[in-house]
Amino acid sequence: MNTRKKKMLIALMTGSLMTGTVFAASASTPAEGQSIATSGVAHRTQSDMTNLSTKKNASIVKQQAEQAQNDAVRNLPEPLPLLSTLPGTPVGYFSGINDVHIDQTVPKYAVAVLPQGQEMSLPYGDAVSDSEIAPYIGKTITSIKFSALPDDKLADVLKKRLALRIGDTVNGEYLRHDVNSIGSSGLFAVVKPAFQVVPEGVSLVYHVRVNPTVRGIELTGNESIPASTLGKLLNVQPGTVLNTTLISKDVSNINTLYNNWGYMLNHVSEVKMDDRGILHIRIAEAHVEDIFIRGNTKTKDRVILREMRFGKGDIFNKALVSRSIQRIYNTGYFEDVNVRLLQGQRNRQNVILEIDVAEQKTGSVTIGAGYSESDGLVGIIGLSETNLRGTGDKVALNWEFGGKSSSNKNHSLSYTHPWLNKYGDSLGFNFYDRKGQYTDYGDKGAVASYEKKTRGFSVTYGRSRSEYTGDYFTLEAKNNEYSRYLSGLNYTQDETYFKNNFGRVHTLTWSHVFDNRDNVFDPSQGKRLAFTGIMAGHGLGGNFNYTKLIGEARLYRALGHGHVAALRVMGGTAFGSLPYNDLFTLGGADTIRGYEDDEFRGNKMYAVTLEYRYPIAKKIQGVVFTDVGNAWGGTENISWYHSSHKVHESAGVGFRVTTPIGPVRLDYAWGQNGGKFHFSFGGKF
C-alpha cells in the first residue's frame, strides 16, 4: 500500500505502548479499522498493472500516456511486506499530511500545528472509548496538567490548542479532539489522558512520553535523486526532538518530489530510528526489469528500442515513458503504440514493460501517365519506403520516362540512414534530374512561361545535440538550365538576365533546430524553433556567391477537445548575388494563401500564419486561418519585377483529410485580389 494513498500509522516505539490504570488512550494505537503502515512495501504479484495507449490524434499521444501512468499508481495492488534492511525501531507517520505549521516557541521542540480538519481526521482520539470515560462525563474539570514534560513552556503551547478548559464539564468529543491535538504535535510516543476524582469534580492529567532526540539523518535507496536534494525537504533536523507529524510531512514532500520528477512508483517505504539517534529513511525505487516488444512483424526490435529514453535496469520514470511513446509514434512506422506495465518477476518492486505496436504501411508505389502536345505520352513510376526492410532507413525513387525525347525526362533518388550511431546522428543523400514548367509573375500578372531543368545532388548529415536539439549540415551542388521557351518573355534574348539567373549553384547549409512537438505529423503541443544559414560560392565553386539567414518559429497550443491553435513566424535576409530562383518566395499553399505560387520574391522576407484547427469527423479536420507577409529587395536587375514594402494578407477556411496516400489540404483564401482555391498534399506546418 503506497503511503500516499491512505492515512496510515505505526507505533514509534512498538514496545512502549502503555495501558492506564484509570483510563488510557495511546497515541500510537490505531483506531478500529485504521490501516497500519508496515516497515517496507512491495506490490503484490499481478499480471497486468495498466495499459498505456496512443492514438493517431496528436492530442491523445501525450494525454493518454500520462493518464494511463497515473492510473497505474491508483491501480497498484495492496502492498506486501518487504524484508526490512534498516536498523532500529519503526517510526510512525501518516500519509496525506501536507499543510503543517511549525511552532518553534520552545527551542529544540518544534511543535507541529495542523489545520483543524486534519487534526480531527487523525486516529489518536479514536482510542478514547465511551465506556471508559462514562463515569466522568458532566463532571467539572478543576485542573489540566501534563506529566513528564521536559520544558514547562511546552504545557503553555499545548494548552492553547485544547478545547476543554478549567471549569468546563467533561465531554467525550472535546476530549477526543484534545487527544488528537496533543498527538498531532508529533512530539510524543504516547499520550494518555487520565482522570482523578476530587471534591470539586475531576482533575485531568495527560501522561506523555517524549520522543527521542534526532542525532543524525541517513537516506538510503535513493539512486534517482541525490540525498542533498532530498535533505532540503526535511523539516526534522538533527539536534531536535523527533517529530512524527513533521516526518509525515517530510515523507509527503519526498513522495511529491519523486512524482513531480516522473518517478511515480518511487516512495518512502520505511522510516526507523536506531539506538544512536540516527533517523533512517529508506526510499523504494522501481527499476525496469525487462522490456518486451510485441506486434512488430516487419520493424526490427532495435529500431523501436533505440527510440526509447530508458533501458533495462534504469529507474522507471513516467516522463521518459511518455517521451519514448512519442518518439516511437513519430517514426511514422506505427498506427498505434501501447505500453503495458507488468509486475517484476525477480523483484516485486520493479516493473516489466511490454510494448505492443500496430504497424502501418510505410511503402508506396505510384504508377501514372500523362499526355501533352509538346511531350506526347509520358509514363511515371514512383517508389518510396520509409522503413526499408524494417531498419528505419528511407528510400525514394521517382522516374518519368517516354515522350518525344529519347532521354529520360525526370528522375530522382534519395536515401536516408537515420541512426548512424548511438547518439541518433543521421546521413542522407539525394540525386535529382528534373524538368518542369514554370511561370514568373510581375506586377501585372504572368510575364513568362518556360521549362527549366535542374540537375544536382545533396548530402545531409544530422547531428543530435540533445533530446530536442539537433544540427543539420547539407552540401548541395545543382545546375539550373533554361530548357525551352513557352510564352511571354524569352530569357535567352536578355543576356544579362540569363547570365545572372541560370547556372551552377554550390551551397553549404547549416540548420540548428529545437523541436519538442508532441506529434510531428499533427502537433497539438510544443514548439519548433529553427535557424538556418546558407552559403553559396565563397570557395565552394559555382556561378553565384551569396549568404542567406532564416529564422522560423512554430508554436502549438492545445485548447481542449481536439482544438489546437498554431502559429508560425518566419523571417529571412540575404546578401550577395542571388539568382532569381534562389530569392525568398512567398505566395501559394505553403506560405500566403490567396495568391499565386511564389508570387512575391526578394532578398528579405517575413511571414506570419495563425491557424485554428478543430475536429469535424474521424480523419477530417477543419481550419480557420490568416496569413500575412511580404518579400522584397534584390530584384534591381529584373526589369519586369518591381518589389514593394506592401504587406500582403489573406484569410480563409480549409479542411485536412487523412487519406491512404497521406494528408490532403483543401484551402480557400481571400487575398487582396480576390479568392483562390489551393489543393496540396502534406501538413502545412
Side-chain angles (χ1 to χ4, degrees):
M1 183 181 301
N2 192 303
T3 57
R4 290 171 288 182
K5 295 176 70 65
K6 296 181 180 179
K7 293 180 178 177
M8 294 176 284
L9 174 69
I10 61 175
L12 169 65
M13 299 296 180
T14 55
S16 65
L17 298 184
M18 300 177 62
T19 304
T21 55
V22 180
F23 158 68
S26 170
S28 299
T29 304
E32 183 178 357
Q34 176 71 34
S35 299
I36 301 178
T38 54
S39 297
V41 295
H43 314 309
R44 284 183 180 163
T45 302
Q46 181 179 329
S47 61
D48 185 4
M49 291 165 58
T50 187
N51 283 320
L52 194 67
S53 303
T54 66
K55 303 297 181 184
K56 281 199 166 185
N57 191 314
S59 62
I60 298 178
V61 174
K62 183 177 181 180
Q63 295 174 4
Q64 283 199 340
E66 294 181 349
Q67 182 62 43
Q69 290 173 98
N70 291 333
D71 290 343
V73 171
R74 290 192 292 269
N75 296 331
L76 287 178
E78 294 296 317
L80 291 176
L82 289 175
L83 181 62
S84 177
T85 59
L86 297 182
T89 304
V91 173
Y93 58 88
F94 296 92
S95 65
I97 292 182
N98 299 307
D99 188 8
V100 179
H101 172 70
I102 303 175
D103 186 339
Q104 295 182 322
T105 303
V106 183
K108 297 185 180 180
Y109 297 95
V111 177
V113 180
L114 297 177
Q116 186 173 359
Q118 280 194 323
E119 279 187 352
M120 294 306 295
S121 64
L122 297 179
Y124 296 107
D126 294 345
V128 180
S129 66
D130 292 336
S131 60
E132 290 177 307
I133 65 174
Y136 313 103
I137 295 295
K139 294 184 180 297
T140 302
I141 300 175
T142 61
S143 65
I144 300 175
K145 299 179 181 179
F146 291 86
S147 68
L149 285 180
D151 193 317
D152 293 338
K153 294 180 181 179
L154 278 177
D156 297 332
V157 173
L158 296 173
K159 285 180 180 180
K160 293 178 182 179
R161 305 167 59 184
L162 301 181
L164 289 175
R165 303 297 174 91
I166 297 175
D168 293 342
T169 58
V170 178
N171 179 287
E173 291 303 317
Y174 287 172
L175 183 62
R176 292 185 179 92
H177 169 275
D178 291 349
V179 172
N180 271 335
S181 178
I182 297 169
S184 67
S185 69
L187 294 175
F188 308 112
V190 172
V191 177
K192 184 183 66 173
F195 293 100
Q196 183 177 0
V197 178
V198 296
E200 296 82 4
V202 292
S203 175
L204 175 57
V205 179
Y206 291 100
H207 297 280
V208 296
R209 176 171 296 178
V210 180
N211 290 330
T213 299
V214 177
R215 303 300 180 187
I217 300 175
E218 290 186 3
L219 290 157
T220 58
N222 54 307
E223 299 178 35
S224 54
I225 300 179
S228 58
T229 300
L230 297 177
K232 296 177 182 178
L233 303 176
L234 299 179
N235 293 286
V236 175
Q237 296 296 324
T240 62
V241 171
L242 176 67
N243 190 305
T244 54
T245 301
L246 295 186
I247 284 290
S248 302
K249 172 62 175 174
D250 294 343
V251 169
S252 177
N253 288 341
I254 292 173
N255 290 340
T256 298
L257 181 66
Y258 271 108
N259 189 67
N260 291 342
W261 284 25
Y263 300 104
M264 58 188 293
L265 299 182
N266 296 1
H267 61 278
V268 175
S269 62
E270 190 177 16
V271 181
K272 283 187 174 182
M273 191 168 184
D274 63 23
D275 296 337
R276 299 178 295 117
I278 304 300
L279 183 67
H280 300 270
I281 302 176
R282 179 189 179 191
I283 310 295
E285 298 193 333
H287 291 72
V288 177
E289 187 174 294
D290 212 338
I291 303 173
F292 298 108
I293 311 294
R294 303 282 188 265
N296 53 321
T297 57
K298 174 184 176 181
T299 308
K300 300 183 184 302
D301 285 356
R302 59 180 172 83
V303 173
I304 299 173
L305 292 173
R306 71 191 183 190
E307 298 294 340
M308 301 185 68
R309 302 295 89 186
F310 60 92
K312 290 193 293 185
D314 291 344
I315 300 171
F316 180 86
N317 185 292
K318 70 173 183 178
L320 297 182
V321 172
S322 294
R323 178 57 183 164
S324 299
I325 293 171
Q326 291 177 4
R327 291 179 61 92
I328 293 172
Y329 182 78
N330 284 340
T331 62
Y333 313 148
F334 309 105
E335 185 175 1
D336 291 299
V337 181
N338 301 278
V339 175
R340 291 158 52 92
L341 301 183
L342 307 178
Q343 185 69 55
Q345 296 180 354
R346 294 187 294 271
N347 187 327
R348 293 169 301 185
Q349 183 67 33
N350 296 337
V351 295
I352 298 173
L353 271 76
E354 184 177 281
I355 302 174
D356 293 317
V357 297
E359 294 181 321
Q360 63 182 1
K361 294 180 179 179
T362 56
S364 65
V365 178
T366 303
I367 300 177
Y371 178 82
S372 68
E373 291 184 0
S374 58
D375 290 330
L377 184 65
V378 177
I380 301 171
I381 294 179
L383 303 173
S384 68
E385 173 59 69
T386 59
N387 188 15
L388 184 64
R389 299 178 63 84
T391 63
D393 289 5
K394 299 174 176 59
V395 62
L397 172 65
N398 293 281
W399 181 28
E400 182 180 317
F401 58 91
K404 296 179 179 180
S405 174
S406 58
S407 62
N408 297 333
K409 296 292 182 181
N410 292 307
H411 60 267
S412 64
L413 173 66
S414 64
Y415 191 95
T416 301
H417 185 59
W419 279 78
L420 286 174
N421 50 38
K422 64 180 181 179
Y423 304 108
D425 295 352
S426 61
L427 182 65
F429 65 83
N430 183 26
F431 294 95
Y432 51 89
D433 187 345
R434 298 188 294 262
K435 183 171 70 172
Q437 294 184 4
Y438 295 82
T439 299
D440 292 339
Y441 291 87
D443 300 336
K444 299 180 179 179
V447 297
S449 294
Y450 57 96
E451 282 188 356
K452 184 180 70 172
K453 188 170 186 177
T454 303
R455 298 178 180 177
F457 73 92
S458 65
V459 178
T460 300
Y461 173 74
R463 175 65 173 171
S464 178
R465 295 295 184 184
S466 65
E467 179 62 29
Y468 300 109
T469 306
D471 291 312
Y472 301 89
F473 304 90
T474 300
L475 183 64
E476 182 176 22
K478 64 181 179 180
N479 185 34
N480 295 314
E481 299 178 6
Y482 187 88
S483 179
R484 185 173 60 168
Y485 165 81
L486 295 178
S487 64
L489 295 177
N490 188 342
Y491 292 150
T492 59
Q493 298 176 1
D494 187 339
E495 183 178 351
T496 300
Y497 176 86
F498 192 86
K499 179 180 179 181
N500 290 330
N501 291 281
F502 294 94
R504 292 181 296 111
V505 181
H506 297 175
T507 60
L508 176 63
T509 301
W510 166 64
S511 294
H512 182 72
V513 179
F514 173 88
D515 190 351
N516 69 348
R517 294 174 295 172
D518 57 350
N519 187 318
V520 297
F521 305 108
D522 186 16
S524 64
Q525 289 280 15
K527 57 182 174 287
R528 184 184 188 275
L529 309 176
F531 174 80
T532 300
I534 304 173
M535 183 180 69
H538 300 291
L540 296 173
N543 303 122
F544 303 93
N545 298 289
Y546 63 82
T547 302
K548 298 175 75 173
L549 303 175
I550 307 167
E552 182 187 37
R554 304 178 185 182
L555 311 175
Y556 307 88
R557 183 178 180 85
L559 304 177
H561 306 288
H563 295 234
V564 177
L567 174 68
R568 181 176 71 172
V569 180
M570 62 180 181
T573 186
F575 313 93
S577 59
L578 278 77
Y580 176 75
N581 290 295
D582 284 349
L583 292 170
F584 295 116
T585 60
L586 294 178
D590 292 327
T591 52
I592 306 178
R593 287 158 286 192
Y595 300 89
E596 298 292 342
D597 292 344
D598 304 337
E599 185 171 343
F600 311 111
R601 292 176 183 261
N603 60 6
K604 299 178 181 63
M605 71 87 182
Y606 67 88
V608 179
T609 293
L610 178 63
E611 288 192 350
Y612 173 73
R613 304 168 181 174
Y614 57 94
I616 297 177
K618 186 177 181 180
K619 298 185 178 182
I620 301 178
Q621 185 183 66
V623 178
V624 179
F625 61 84
T626 182
D627 300 326
V628 177
N630 187 29
W632 73 98
T635 60
E636 295 79 7
N637 295 325
I638 305 173
S639 60
W640 46 265
Y641 187 87
H642 303 285
S643 64
S644 70
H645 295 278
K646 182 180 180 181
V647 178
H648 308 285
E649 67 272 349
S650 66
V653 296
F655 298 95
R656 306 290 179 262
V657 182
T658 302
T659 70
I661 60 173
V664 174
R665 290 188 284 126
L666 306 171
D667 292 323
Y668 190 86
W670 290 268
Q672 295 166 334
N673 300 320
K676 186 174 181 60
F677 176 77
H678 298 276
F679 174 87
S680 56
F681 290 95
K684 186 174 187 294
F685 67 88

